[in-house]
Amino acid sequence: MIRQFELVEMVKAYDKNVDEALLNRAYVFAMKAHGTQTRASGDPYFSHPLEVAGILTALKLDGNTIATALLHDVVEDTVATIPEIEELFGPKVAELVDGVTKLSKIELQTESERQAENFRKFVLAMSNDIRVLLVKLADRLHNMRTLNYIQKEAKRRRIALETLEIYAPLAERIGMHELKDELEHLAFQHLDPEAMESISARLHYLIEQSPNLEQDMVTALQALMAETGITCKVSGRIKRPYSIWRKMERQNITFEQLSDVMAFRIMVDDVATCYRVLGIVHQKYPMVPGRFKDYISTPKRNFYRSIHTTVIGPLNHRLEIQVRTHRMHEEAEMGVAAHWQYKQAAEKVDGSQYLWVRELLEILDHTTDPEEFLEHTKLAMFQDKVFCFTPKGELVSLPRGSSTVDFAYAVHTEVGDHCVGAKVNGRMVPLRHQLENGDQVQILTSKGQAPSPRWESFVVTGKARSAIRRHVRQQQISEYSHLGHTLIEKACRRNGLDFSPRVIEEAARVLNLEDADMLYALVGQGTLTEDEILRASFPGFREDARAEGLPTVHHEWEAMKDAALPIKGINKESAVHFADCCHPVRGDRIVGMRIPGKGVEIHTIDCGKLDAFDDRPELWIDLKWQDDEDDDAFYAGRLRLEVTNERGALATIAAIVAKGGGNISNLVIPERDPEFYIMIVDVEVRDVKHLNDISRSLRVSRVISRVDRVLG
């Protein structure tokens, strides 16, 4: 173990003004607090925080951070408290320790929920001071180095997977590539040992085949630079097994097809020399097309800067060449620790100034469920990138596979919410269009537009998915609340009862609900019935009290036409939505069916599915079309056609529908034989009269022998 004076000397080597007393107090306090506790390896537990502190001294972090490393487990694993830490070590250390400490006292239902809730707190603490993340990463790195001492395989795999999905991407986000590579390597050993062994064997074989390739290439590059008078440092490295495996899996290629198993770095003094070196390398060695990336002119979002190119080297080996300045290399290896100074004790390093942290905070604001937040966070962190531009030339970095909707939300949440269309490189494209590197994207917006639930099927960023879900959830709650209010008000009217906010608030209290809005939403959703609300609101009310002359709810639906709930064109995600079976259109006689937890489904009065609800009258709701001359909505009516099997038949059907002012939105051919096809066609129409007109036009066609409407 590192001794007390050795730790102090390690910190003083790069920070002569460090508070030695603080480090000494933290060392002694942590050692006494952990006492006789031991780790799975049998070592004293105090060896763990000491190793974490050692990892952070290699990154040259400040005294407060080193003290936090020594103390980061005392609150969770000993009787020490945050107020005690604050009293002994000051508010800054206490704040950092609290940010790193796990929420072990929170009792959640599942391990995944516990992990998700811990991560929510971690993100909030990290946004307040990024040093929380640095301590947490060092903590995880040492735990991974000793993971093999844990006996239970399931626990080892869970910790390794968490490392791979959360902590390695976080390390990459702050530019700490060496730390990220080691975390991935250690996790890969436990998650897929067979793949690890196989790739390691291939690498060993490659080195045996060309044992001097690395050193020969380093010497050749140094000589090439010396010939042109460029002072530089050249180094080579073999790619780690996990990086190789991930690339093979992602690109579906073999080991032999990889172009950057071996990479060489040329480090120079300034940016201009970087581009000069690139030209010299390309003159000497043929470049592999499509394998050039300039991260100096367009840095990664974690500030990583370098030029990458792949060339054909000696013995026809594909070799990756990285060109960067010495400062860029330091930043690439140490990330935030390379360009943030922690010299001043009063200084706080605010993590929210970094774009990716702000995006995580925005996702956190818009997501209420811990597991959903964790899902969106993984999406936001763990994906390859494409770089696109706004019309003003501003760079927007997105995960590969992102759509124009993802781009819109990356620009601003308001832009995403009101997105109606997009132009990519001056050409109109669908919203689901996937973006490519270098695309210039212009988002078209409208104040009347709102996010569609369909967008969630093609967006890939956590920010977009979180915003869409939030809007849909709010819209549904609002619609359920309005529907519930209407249903309760009508139930009161039918039974001669006074409807008032006071009565509903009393019902909410009796049913242990938060407020009247929640009560309305639960009724509209179908979780509660009007009968239950009336019983809670009026103590003398009983459903079976009609014979006794007491108020009662009755379900004489045919006698309640005046109480029918008016509806107009709505979508499938609304509180009141169309059923999939009978495809109602405006003008049909309709009825509502209350589906618990899903609101009200609209059916035609002659839908065959309604037979199953004959003995459940409490689920039926009378509906009518709302009188609205300005209603320009289209409804999808479903037709079944028997069509002669001849050339041009489908074109004839499409022409008849188009001439009639309709539009075919879907077509399926479930049956076919040499003479006839059976087609199921969804036709968008204004109302039932419009659908009937198109049906008549189809019937007189020579290629159509029969037309029927599908009703369930």
Side-chain angles (χ1 to χ4, degrees):
M1 288 196 303
I2 304 173
R3 287 178 290 183
Q4 185 174 343
F5 78 90
E6 290 176 332
L7 179 65
V8 174
E9 289 301 316
M10 290 166 64
V11 180
K12 286 180 65 178
Y14 61 83
D15 185 2
K16 295 181 180 180
N17 299 319
V18 67
D19 186 345
E20 296 183 41
L22 173 70
L23 296 181
N24 287 323
R25 289 199 311 274
Y27 190 104
V28 173
F29 182 90
M31 183 171 61
K32 289 183 177 179
H34 288 296
T36 59
Q37 293 176 349
T38 58
R39 289 172 58 80
S41 62
D43 294 333
Y45 192 91
F46 179 59
S47 65
H48 167 65
L50 203 53
E51 290 294 331
V52 173
I55 291 171
L56 294 173
T57 58
L59 298 175
K60 301 181 180 180
L61 297 184
D62 66 312
N64 283 340
T65 309
I66 304 302
T68 300
L70 294 169
L71 300 167
H72 77 273
D73 274 339
V74 296
V75 174
E76 179 186 355
D77 296 331
T78 75
V79 295
T81 63
I82 292 297
E84 185 179 3
I85 298 294
E86 183 172 356
E87 181 181 351
L88 293 173
F89 303 100
K92 289 191 175 300
V93 173
E95 182 181 333
L96 291 171
V97 171
D98 187 44
V100 180
T101 301
K102 298 174 183 176
L103 294 180
S104 56
K105 296 181 181 180
I106 289 185
E107 295 181 0
L108 296 172
Q109 293 180 350
T110 66
E111 180 64 33
S112 60
E113 285 179 330
R114 183 156 46 249
Q115 179 199 52
E117 186 60 41
N118 287 340
F119 192 64
R120 283 166 63 97
K121 177 177 184 270
F122 176 53
V123 168
L124 287 172
M126 177 180 65
S127 69
N128 193 39
D129 195 322
I130 203 71
R131 289 175 291 183
V132 168
L133 174 56
L134 298 177
V135 177
K136 190 66 176 177
L137 288 174
D139 171 47
R140 179 51 60 115
L141 178 58
H142 185 251
N143 283 333
M144 289 302 298
R145 287 173 177 174
T146 57
L147 188 61
N148 58 298
Y149 290 109
I150 294 178
Q151 298 298 318
K152 293 183 180 179
E153 182 184 357
K155 185 175 181 180
R156 291 200 306 270
R157 289 185 60 83
R158 176 181 61 78
I159 294 173
L161 185 63
E162 183 181 75
T163 300
L164 200 60
E165 290 187 339
I166 296 177
Y167 292 101
L170 281 171
E172 183 181 28
R173 276 291 180 270
I174 58 175
M176 305 184 74
H177 291 277
E178 284 296 315
L179 195 149
K180 180 214 60 158
D181 287 345
E182 186 175 356
L183 287 174
E184 289 177 339
H185 180 77
L186 294 168
F188 190 44
Q189 286 180 330
H190 294 277
L191 291 173
D192 199 338
E194 291 184 4
M196 176 80 172
E197 184 178 350
S198 174
I199 293 174
S200 298
R202 300 295 294 274
L203 287 173
H204 184 68
Y205 175 78
L206 179 67
I207 294 172
E208 283 185 339
Q209 292 296 106
S210 307
N212 299 319
L213 176 61
E214 181 178 345
Q215 185 55 49
D216 290 348
M217 192 65 186
V218 168
T219 303
L221 288 173
Q222 287 175 332
L224 182 63
M225 296 300 114
E227 289 175 10
T228 54
I230 294 177
T231 303
C232 67
K233 180 180 178 181
V234 181
S235 64
R237 62 148 178 90
I238 302 292
K239 204 164 188 177
R240 287 183 181 260
Y242 175 73
S243 297
I244 293 173
W245 176 84
R246 186 181 172 199
K247 192 165 188 177
M248 289 169 60
E249 185 183 58
R250 185 176 65 245
Q251 299 183 3
N252 193 26
I253 57 178
T254 64
F255 185 90
E256 290 74 18
Q257 292 175 294
L258 290 171
S259 60
D260 55 353
V261 172
M262 187 171 290
F264 297 88
R265 292 172 183 150
I266 303 175
M267 289 163 278
V268 296
D269 294 329
D270 54 66
V271 173
T273 308
C274 289
Y275 290 100
R276 188 176 163 205
V277 167
L278 177 67
I280 295 169
V281 169
H282 281 177
Q283 284 181 325
K284 176 69 175 180
Y285 302 104
M287 173 194 168
V288 177
R291 296 293 306 162
F292 171 75
K293 295 176 182 177
D294 185 352
Y295 294 121
I296 293 181
S297 64
T298 55
K300 291 186 178 182
R301 63 195 302 171
N302 60 7
F303 307 116
Y304 176 84
R305 294 179 297 162
S306 184
I307 296 174
H308 292 193
T309 186
T310 301
V311 299
I312 306 296
L315 303 177
N316 285 326
H317 283 293
R318 289 189 173 196
L319 305 173
E320 182 178 82
I321 308 291
Q322 300 174 359
V323 186
R324 59 181 67 159
T325 66
H326 296 287
R327 177 62 185 274
M328 291 175 191
H329 179 68
E330 185 182 6
E331 291 175 351
E333 297 300 299
M334 299 179 63
V336 296
H339 54 83
W340 279 336
Q341 298 300 318
Y342 303 97
K343 304 298 184 183
Q344 300 177 20
E347 183 181 1
K348 183 198 300 186
V349 185
D350 183 4
S352 63
Q353 62 183 296
Y354 297 92
L355 177 62
W356 65 276
V357 178
R358 291 202 303 271
E359 289 179 351
L360 292 189
L361 288 172
E362 192 164 351
I363 292 172
L364 181 59
D365 289 339
H366 293 164
T367 308
T368 56
D369 179 65
E371 291 186 273
E372 186 178 316
F373 168 68
L374 187 58
E375 172 199 343
H376 297 329
T377 301
K378 290 177 183 177
L379 286 172
M381 294 192 305
F382 198 55
Q383 298 191 26
D384 293 332
K385 298 295 175 184
V386 293
F387 298 93
C388 304
F389 297 90
T390 67
K392 294 182 179 179
E394 297 171 354
L395 181 68
V396 176
S397 173
L398 293 166
R400 190 167 300 280
S402 291
S403 66
T404 58
V405 174
D406 291 298
F407 183 94
Y409 277 106
V411 172
H412 197 281
T413 302
E414 286 292 317
V415 176
D417 284 346
H418 300 299
C419 172
V420 294
K423 288 184 178 181
V424 175
N425 302 324
R427 179 174 60 89
M428 287 294 299
V429 296
L431 288 177
R432 64 172 58 248
H433 175 83
Q434 289 191 1
L435 300 173
E436 298 180 356
N437 273 319
D439 281 346
Q440 185 182 70
V441 186
Q442 178 184 357
I443 300 298
L444 310 177
T445 61
S446 170
K447 291 184 178 179
Q449 174 70 341
S452 168
R454 294 189 299 275
W455 292 359
E456 195 178 339
S457 66
F458 58 79
V459 297
V460 299
T461 58
K463 181 179 180 181
R465 186 162 295 174
S466 174
I468 294 165
R469 287 184 180 177
R470 171 181 55 86
H471 179 86
V472 170
R473 190 182 299 116
Q474 290 176 345
Q475 183 183 41
Q476 287 180 336
I477 290 174
S478 176
E479 291 177 349
Y480 283 137
S481 181
H482 177 72
L483 174 62
H485 185 285
T486 303
L487 293 174
I488 294 173
E489 187 176 6
K490 289 181 180 297
C492 287
R493 260 203 327 267
R494 289 198 305 269
N495 293 279
L497 301 171
D498 291 331
F499 173 81
S500 69
R502 182 186 60 78
V503 170
I504 300 304
E505 289 171 4
E506 176 63 20
R509 187 190 64 78
V510 171
L511 296 171
N512 294 320
L513 299 177
E514 185 176 323
D515 52 28
D517 287 337
M518 179 178 288
L519 183 147
Y520 289 137
L522 291 175
V523 173
Q525 196 175 17
T527 305
L528 292 175
T529 66
E530 300 99 291
D531 291 347
E532 292 174 295
I533 304 307
L534 295 185
R535 284 196 291 270
S537 303
F538 303 96
F541 175 83
R542 291 204 313 273
E543 189 177 357
D544 59 352
R546 183 182 304 178
E548 303 177 22
L550 295 176
T552 179
V553 173
H554 56 83
H555 300 286
E556 298 171 356
W557 306 106
E558 291 299 326
M560 291 162 47
K561 295 298 183 185
D562 60 326
L565 186 69
I567 65 144
K568 60 183 295 186
I570 49 183
N571 60 56
K572 185 174 176 60
E573 292 76 22
S574 302
V576 182
H577 54 269
F578 295 116
D580 292 329
C581 48
C582 50
H583 299 272
V585 299
R586 184 180 180 86
D588 283 329
R589 292 181 62 208
I590 53 176
V591 67
M593 190 59 56
R594 191 199 306 266
I595 307 298
K598 296 183 179 180
V600 176
E601 284 186 350
I602 305 170
H603 295 261
T604 59
I605 200 68
D606 49 357
C607 176
K609 189 176 179 180
L610 298 178
D611 295 342
F613 298 94
D614 280 344
D615 58 345
R616 300 289 306 277
E618 73 278 5
L619 299 180
W620 294 59
I621 297 176
D622 206 47
L623 303 175
K624 66 179 180 180
W625 297 99
Q626 180 172 307
D627 295 329
D628 188 352
E629 294 181 356
D630 297 329
D631 183 13
D632 56 356
F634 277 76
Y635 307 84
R638 178 162 290 182
L639 301 177
R640 179 184 183 275
L641 312 180
E642 291 185 7
V643 184
T644 304
N645 183 8
E646 64 176 69
R647 187 173 299 170
L650 187 58
T652 300
I653 295 170
I656 292 172
V657 173
K659 186 176 180 180
N663 180 55
I664 296 176
S665 59
N666 193 32
L667 186 148
V668 178
I669 304 178
E671 301 177 33
R672 64 185 72 193
D673 60 38
E675 296 183 358
F676 289 96
Y677 280 5
I678 302 299
M679 294 185 180
I680 306 298
V681 183
D682 290 348
V683 181
E684 292 181 348
V685 293
R686 291 183 296 275
D687 51 34
V688 69
K689 179 181 180 300
H690 189 190
L691 180 63
N692 290 337
D693 290 343
I694 291 177
S695 298
R696 281 193 294 269
S697 299
L698 290 169
R699 288 190 183 97
V700 300
S701 170
R702 180 182 58 81
V703 300
I704 301 174
S705 60
R706 180 166 179 170
V707 178
D708 295 300
R709 185 172 175 193
V710 178
L711 294 172

